[in-house]
Every structure is written in C-alpha cells, then in structure tokens.
Amino acid sequence: MDNPGHVGDIRTDSEESNAVGLLYVGGSDGSETVTAAVSAATTPFELYTCSRVSEALELIATEPIDCVVTEQTLPERTGLALLGEIRERADDLPVILFADDGDESVASEAISLGVTDYIAKTPSEEQTDLLLRRVAAVVTERDERQAILDRMTDAFFALDRNWEFTYLNDRGREIVREAASEHVSTDELVGRNIWEVLPEAIGTEFYEQYHDAMDEQSPVVFEAKYETLDTWFEVRGYPSSTGLSVYFRDITDRVAREQSITRRERALREMYRVTAQKETPLETKVESLLAIGKDLLGTEFGALSRIEGETYVFEITDTPENGPKPGDTVPLSTTNCERAIVEEETLVLSDIAEQAPELTDRAGFIDQGVRCYLGTPVVVDGSVTGTFCFYDQAARTEPFSEWEVTLVELMGNWVSYERERQRREQALTRERNRMADFASFVSHDLRNPLNVAVGRLDLIEDEYDGDPEHVSTVESALERMDDLIEDALTLARATESSRRRRSTPVRSPARPGPGSVTSRRRWTSSTRLRWKATRTASDSCSRTSFGTPWNTPETERRE
C-alpha cells in the first residue's frame, strides 16, 4: 500500500456520531483483510490505512483517530518504533500490536512501551474478528475513563514527556483556558506545551513541583496560589515514564477560612497579652486594642470616646494624620455613635448609605466621609459613658462577620469593666486616705494626752501612800488605752497592705479588760519611762496637722 488513505465511513448516517476512528498500519494484505472485516462488523468504524510510521503519525495528528492497529513489520521501521513515537505524543491513545505469532521478545518490548494489547495475526479470519472486538472494547474503556474524568469536580490534565497536553477534562480545560496568557480554544490545548500556554507559571511552585515529580519519578502533593488567577489550588501529580498526570482543585475558600481562623486566634492571643499586663496603663492597653481591631477589621479609624452632655469627646484614638486626635470634640448628634448610645446596643453598618440612609445627612458622613461603622457602647455602673468603635471612609464589599462583631463587643465590655474597676479603686483610695487621717488623729491627739497621764502617774506613785490597788487600776486603764491606739494603727496599716496583697491577717482589736489577769503588767518607773520615750519619738516622726498635743502649753495651743 503506497499511499495512506481514508478508506471511508463504513457506517450508516445514524451511526455517524458513534463511529470508531481506526487507523490500520501495515501491508496491503492485512489492510484488505481488515477492510473486509470492518465492512461486516456490527460496530461502526471510520477506517484509515497506511504502511509507514511517518504516514501514521501524520494521520494521528490530523484525523480523529480513536485506536491504532499496527503490524510489527513495516517499510523502513517497525510497529514498536511507531508505538514509541505515539507514546511520546499521546499517552492515552490505544495501540494494538497485530503481529506474527510466537515472537515473545516483541511482546515483552511492546508491553514495556505501553502497548494496549497484543494480538497474533493467525489464523487470519478469526484473529481479525477478535481484533475488531478488542478495538471496540479498548475505545469504550477509554471513553468511559474520560467520561469519569469529565464528571470529576477536580480538574485534570495529562502531559507527555515533552510537557505537551495530551488530555484535559472539562474542568481542567476551563481553568487552563482562563489562566492562559493568550486566547486558546479547547481543541488547541491538546498538543500545546504547558509552559507556552502558561508562561506565568514558569519559576513558580507549580513549575518546580512538576519538574521534581518527573525527575524523581515520585508523586507530589502540594498547595500553592496561582497569582494570575488569584486562586489557591491543591495539586496531586503522578509521574510515569511517558508523562505526568495532574489532578487539582480550587481550595481558595478553604484557605480563606483557615487564614481567617489563624487571624482570629492571633487577635485573641494578642488581646489576652495586652489585657493581662497589670502594670500597663489603661490608655496604653486601649491603644493596643484599637490597633488589633483595625488590623483585623481592615479599617483606618478606631476610637474610644466619652460623652459629656451633648458633646462627643475623642478620648483615645488610632487614626491617620488627618483624623481626630485625643481631646477633639464634636456634637454628639453629628456622629453615628449617637445611635449606639441611645439604643444601648452595638451598631453594625458595613455600608451606611445602603443600610442606614437616614444617617447620610450627618457630618460624619458628609464632612468626614464615614462609609462603614462598627461600634459598641461603653457601660459603667449601668450608664452608657461612650463608645468603642471602628470606622472607615470606604464601604465594605463584605458585611462585618458575626465573629468580628463579637470581638469588638468583647473589647468594649473589657473597657467597661476596667472603667468600673478604676472607679472602685478611686473610691477605695479615698477610703484609705480617710483611714490614714483617722490613724494620724489616733496617733497624735489621743496618744499625747496618754503620755501626760503616764508622766503624772510616775509622780503619784512616788508620793502616794494610800491603797496601791488604785495605782494598779490606773496603770491597767492606761495600758488598755495604749492597746486600743495600737490596734487602730494596725488596722490602718492592714487596710493599706490589703490593696496590694488583697489578703493580710489583722489581729483582733479585742483585749482583756482592766483588772484581768492576762492584761495586768506591773509597770516600774523605768518601764513607763521607756514606753513614754518610745511613744514620744514615734509621735514626733509622724506628726500631722490633725490637732495639737494635749501637753502643749495653753498659749501655744491658742496660737
């Protein structure tokens, strides 16, 4: 057979779309036998015949060939050579070797090259019928595999060793065409080099991973973003000696969710770190919270405000250079915060013009250009004192998420708690100051007359010759008075210490009464003098303006 040829459409019109494109490569005897068998077959075939490898490759490139049947002995080259050439171009095209019986070495090499089947030529008539049945079967199997791939939600394409597309399923064609730097039709993709179709992929992780898979002949699994499509893909590549099969799926939504979770966890950890710093001033903590909120929400403005009557005061801010600064004021009625304050609930507006057009006539919208807002009231002791809010001069394309709203409310609640705690501490400080003043009064205005009484007791004891029990009773009373003064000072010191440690044991102020056995101490003159000297020294170190010592001369007290 000197010239390749299209034997013709051996089918009926109704069978046209189902005809199997069969290429027979061999001598004239074999071609005639196959042509006769095809004419009698129930399966519709479109038969092409040729005798040379070069002719077969040209027909494969230009005609809709579904299966190739080749003899081993061909002019100039062999059927195995043709098989090798085909596998370099089309890894999934079925190729059946129709060879003389008994050549095991040929069969072994054919298998290694990826032959679809091996059928002996003799006896001719029986084997030709078997050949056609086998051709119909392998084409059906291939079509079924392709149908499965096309039904897959995952994209798929196959490359040969020259990095040329040999097959793409529907999803694969859709993605590759979208990513291509030039307009390319579906039919034009097969046979094109992937790096020519997708030059932007060169040097990316896709390029490196595919080459590693082919070089190492080892499967690869990875996730990467294709910047041209702004899309994340999960990719699985399976290499073979003839090429690379690639399955990939769009995981952009999943990656976005994972990144969102990561940002949330980072924001919560950072928020905890900020709020747990006991020695850091509240203002510094709030500044840090505003920065965290701005980063998470993607807004340019963040502020903690307070209200003073009908005035809105920016107390702490994180804004651009042209934004409000701490201490700036505006009428409350011009702000979006007024609604959050009046309604005492979080105000969520991703697009003010669309969601709250009644607010577009306020200065915040007109003069400051506020287009989105998220703010929550700050409540102290049951009263709204201001807002903790974030806003921006551009409306959001996506609404604030429930989690974002919850985070802002959490920050606002923390600020409310801290403000209440500050008020309580200020009240406690005032109470401690009053206690300190009282302790000073006790220390000076009560102890000084006690010192006078002790001194007089010394004189009485030296000169008194009456009943000693009277002197003893006075001594016990003075000692009891001294204990009461000491207990009052101890209580004052314990109150101050409890502010730091929250728990300080304080001895009970209860003391046995005068005349009891446990409280009785015999004071000698030297003991009383030591006691007097100690008290006097202590008093002189802690004197305040809280009264005048009772032993001061009358003229000095009047002055």
Side-chain angles (χ1 to χ4, degrees), residues 47-237:
L47 182 62
Y48 301 82
T49 61
C50 66
S51 60
R52 300 178 185 276
V53 171
S54 58
E55 296 167 346
L57 295 175
E58 182 179 353
L59 286 171
I60 291 171
T62 59
E63 302 297 338
I65 305 299
D66 295 311
C67 182
V68 177
V69 175
T70 180
E71 298 178 6
Q72 168 61 5
T73 303
L74 301 174
E76 300 177 357
R77 302 182 69 182
T78 65
L80 291 177
L82 174 60
L83 174 60
E85 293 281 358
I86 292 173
R87 285 294 171 255
E88 289 183 359
R89 293 167 171 77
D91 187 48
D92 63 337
L93 180 63
V95 179
I96 298 176
L97 188 60
F98 197 46
D100 294 329
D101 190 22
D103 195 338
E104 294 182 357
S105 63
V106 172
S108 177
E109 186 175 354
I111 292 172
S112 67
L113 289 173
V115 72
T116 305
D117 205 347
Y118 181 97
I119 298 177
K121 292 177 62 177
T122 56
S124 177
E125 184 175 345
E126 294 179 3
Q127 292 301 94
T128 301
D129 290 340
L130 173 63
L131 171 66
L132 294 182
R133 291 196 300 272
R134 187 62 184 133
V135 167
V138 298
V139 170
T140 299
E141 291 171 2
R142 187 196 66 170
D143 290 344
E144 289 176 349
R145 286 195 302 271
Q146 291 182 354
I148 292 173
L149 291 172
D150 285 337
R151 289 195 299 269
M152 289 172 52
T153 56
D154 287 4
F156 171 82
F157 62 75
L159 304 169
D160 62 19
R161 287 182 293 182
N162 296 320
W163 300 103
E164 294 176 353
F165 290 109
T166 60
Y167 176 78
L168 302 91
N169 72 353
D170 289 343
R171 181 61 176 150
R173 289 190 292 270
E174 178 183 338
I175 293 176
V176 171
R177 289 186 62 192
E178 184 179 356
S181 58
E182 59 180 282
H183 178 72
V184 57
S185 68
T186 298
D187 294 336
E188 291 174 340
L189 285 175
V190 175
R192 292 285 302 276
N193 185 288
I194 184 175
W195 311 123
E196 294 177 357
V197 175
L198 306 173
E200 294 85 358
I202 297 175
T204 66
E205 186 169 0
F206 298 90
Y207 184 91
E208 300 298 335
Q209 292 278 4
Y210 293 167
H211 278 80
D212 287 346
M214 289 296 290
D215 293 343
E216 303 295 331
Q217 283 295 293
S218 177
V220 293
V221 178
F222 63 96
E223 295 179 0
K225 184 178 182 181
Y226 194 71
E227 296 294 343
T228 302
L229 297 178
D230 192 26
T231 303
W232 280 86
F233 292 102
E234 177 187 78
V235 184
R236 289 165 289 138

Side-chain angles (χ1 to χ4, degrees), residues 45 58 63 122 129 135 169 194 205-206 209 227 230 237 296 310 335-336 361 385 400 434 521 526-527 544 556:
F45 287 95
E58 182 179 353
E63 302 297 338
T122 56
D129 290 340
V135 167
N169 72 353
I194 184 175
E205 186 169 0
F206 298 90
Q209 292 278 4
E227 296 294 343
D230 192 26
L296 187 72
E310 295 300 319
T335 68
N336 297 308
D361 60 351
T385 63
F400 289 106
R434 285 195 294 268
R521 288 193 302 230
S526 59
T527 301
T544 70
E556 185 178 338

Side-chain angles (χ1 to χ4, degrees), residues 193-422:
N193 185 288
I194 184 175
W195 311 123
E196 294 177 357
V197 175
L198 306 173
E200 294 85 358
I202 297 175
T204 66
E205 186 169 0
F206 298 90
Y207 184 91
E208 300 298 335
Q209 292 278 4
Y210 293 167
H211 278 80
D212 287 346
M214 289 296 290
D215 293 343
E216 303 295 331
Q217 283 295 293
S218 177
V220 293
V221 178
F222 63 96
E223 295 179 0
K225 184 178 182 181
Y226 194 71
E227 296 294 343
T228 302
L229 297 178
D230 192 26
T231 303
W232 280 86
F233 292 102
E234 177 187 78
V235 184
R236 289 165 289 138
Y238 301 95
S240 68
S241 59
T242 59
L244 179 68
S245 298
V246 179
Y247 299 82
F248 56 108
R249 68 172 63 182
D250 184 342
I251 59 168
T252 304
D253 290 342
R254 193 199 79 194
V255 171
R257 288 193 300 271
E258 292 174 349
Q259 291 177 341
S260 176
I261 292 172
T262 299
R263 288 196 301 271
R264 294 175 182 182
E265 291 176 346
R266 183 172 62 247
L268 288 175
R269 286 195 300 269
E270 185 65 13
M271 182 177 170
Y272 174 78
R273 185 191 66 80
V274 169
T275 57
Q277 296 173 350
K278 295 182 179 180
E279 303 303 321
T280 303
L282 177 60
E283 180 177 351
T284 302
K285 291 183 179 181
V286 171
E287 290 173 348
S288 298
L289 292 182
L290 290 173
I292 293 171
K294 282 179 50 182
D295 179 65
L296 187 72
L297 301 174
T299 62
E300 283 192 282
F301 299 82
L304 170 65
S305 70
R306 70 176 184 271
I307 52 175
E308 296 179 355
E310 295 300 319
T311 302
Y312 181 90
V313 182
F314 289 94
E315 191 168 358
I316 302 174
T317 64
D318 187 343
T319 62
E321 286 297 324
N322 60 343
K325 298 297 182 288
D328 289 353
T329 62
V330 295
L332 179 61
S333 59
T334 65
T335 68
N336 297 308
C337 294
E338 182 192 35
R339 175 170 294 186
I341 292 169
V342 171
E343 297 181 358
E344 298 187 9
E345 62 181 21
T346 302
L347 180 61
V348 184
L349 298 172
S350 56
D351 187 337
I352 294 176
E354 179 179 340
Q355 296 175 279
E358 67 277 8
L359 298 179
T360 58
D361 60 351
R362 300 195 176 195
F365 187 91
I366 298 172
D367 299 335
Q368 301 173 24
V370 179
R371 295 297 182 267
C372 69
Y373 175 91
L374 173 55
T376 191
V378 174
V379 181
V380 180
D381 294 333
S383 300
V384 177
T385 63
T387 60
F388 190 85
C389 65
F390 299 89
Y391 55 97
D392 200 87
Q393 294 176 333
R396 289 170 63 98
T397 56
E398 296 291 334
F400 289 106
S401 69
E402 183 177 348
W403 191 89
E404 290 171 333
V405 175
T406 300
L407 182 71
V408 172
E409 290 179 335
L410 182 62
M411 290 180 174
N413 289 342
W414 179 85
V415 173
S416 298
Y417 166 79
E418 286 297 303
R419 284 290 168 82
E420 288 186 350
R421 188 175 64 83
Q422 278 188 337

Side-chain angles (χ1 to χ4, degrees), residues 475-518:
E475 287 179 342
S476 296
L478 293 177
E479 181 181 0
R480 173 61 175 160
M481 187 178 296
D482 178 57
D483 286 342
L484 290 174
I485 293 172
E486 182 62 27
D487 287 340
L489 292 173
T490 299
L491 178 60
R493 288 192 293 268
T495 302
E496 174 64 22
S497 178
S498 67
R499 180 179 66 88
R500 306 187 199 94
R501 298 192 298 272
R502 298 299 179 190
S503 177
T504 301
V506 181
R507 70 175 183 173
S508 172
R511 287 290 186 273
S516 68
V517 175
T518 56

